Amino acid sequence: MKRVLVTGAGGQLGAALCEAFAGEDLVALTHADWDVTLPAPPGLPAPGLVLHAAAWTDVDAAEDDPQGAAAVNIGGAQHAAALGAPLVHFSTDYVFDGQKRAPYVESDSPNPLSAYGRTKLLSEAAAGEDAWIVRTSWLFGASGKNFVRTMLRLGVERDEVAVVDDQRGCPTYVGHLAAAVRELVELPRGIWHLAADGECTWAELAEAVFEEAGVDCRVQRIASSELGRPAPRPAYSVLRSERPRAPHLPHWRDGLRECMERL
Ligand SMILES: NC(=O)c1ccc[n+]([C@@H]2O[C@H](COP(=O)([O-])OP(=O)(O)OC[C@H]3O[C@@H](n4cnc5c(N)ncnc54)[C@H](OP(=O)(O)O)[C@@H]3O)[C@@H](O)[C@H]2O)c1
């Protein structure tokens, strides 16, 4: 049995990783247990594997406080790497600019549009050459703050919701990602794209949520410019792996069904 240390264990991915690695000697650390902008607290038992899921994930707030986001995302990765154990670090589709119209693979050049994306790209370097860098996208799970849970709440409150229809990506269920990470740690280190099969826009995802939940709520398809959020997002950020042995994740619609069974 391996000692597996999970940072950000209170987040949606952290919680899923704790479930997937429950058979190991698990050390689950929430934000309260370890603020990763600081070095690890003294007395932490030496881990055999670190799953670093703590991060600044508020994409819009990072525009106003890029240094705060950098302290968590870049500083946190450095501190996680300093534990000296094999490290799985999580990054994002937002390292790409979305100009491509075919799936992004590991060898494509990043060009982040937002402060959040820039901190995540730098965090990949901070995690070091000896880490697994997992780029994933549009995460949702049965806990935490995410698009699926927000839509379910709005869907019962309103007759119609306005949702952007000009961003295309891979909505990924954290349970499926956590299972893929179990496979990944048997494979060579480096950058890996791990996202759900299939692709859609946020509006299409909202429609699927309402369909699966049997909620009668219309989706008004709007442009990102109409929403006017502070951080620019890539218009297209579908992730696929070009690596022959990459773990394969189920389709996002299957992830949505599995997630909703747990809500
Ligand atoms: N969410 C997405 O759509 C998405 C997409 C692509 C990649 N990712 C990446 O996937 C990873 C996991 O994301 P997630 O969706 O699980 O995010 P999440 O639900 O927001 O969880 C992040 C966790 O990090 C904790 N945290 C924040 N600042 C911290 C600090 N200074 N020290 C220690 N913990 C801190 C948060 O705690 P508090 O809430 O208490 O602050 C939270 O529990 C991140 O690396 C993220 O960049 C996410």
Side-chain angles (χ1 to χ4, degrees), residues 179-196:
V181 169
R182 280 199 73 96
E183 287 179 52
L184 183 69
V185 294
E186 306 300 328
L187 296 169
R189 298 182 204 176
I191 296 176
W192 293 83
H193 285 187
L194 297 184

Side-chain angles (χ1 to χ4, degrees), residues 3-5 25-29 34 40-50 83 85:
R3 181 173 296 135
V4 178
L5 188 148
D25 176 7
L26 202 64
V27 181
L29 301 179
W34 178 13
L44 212 58
L49 175 68
V50 176
L83 292 169

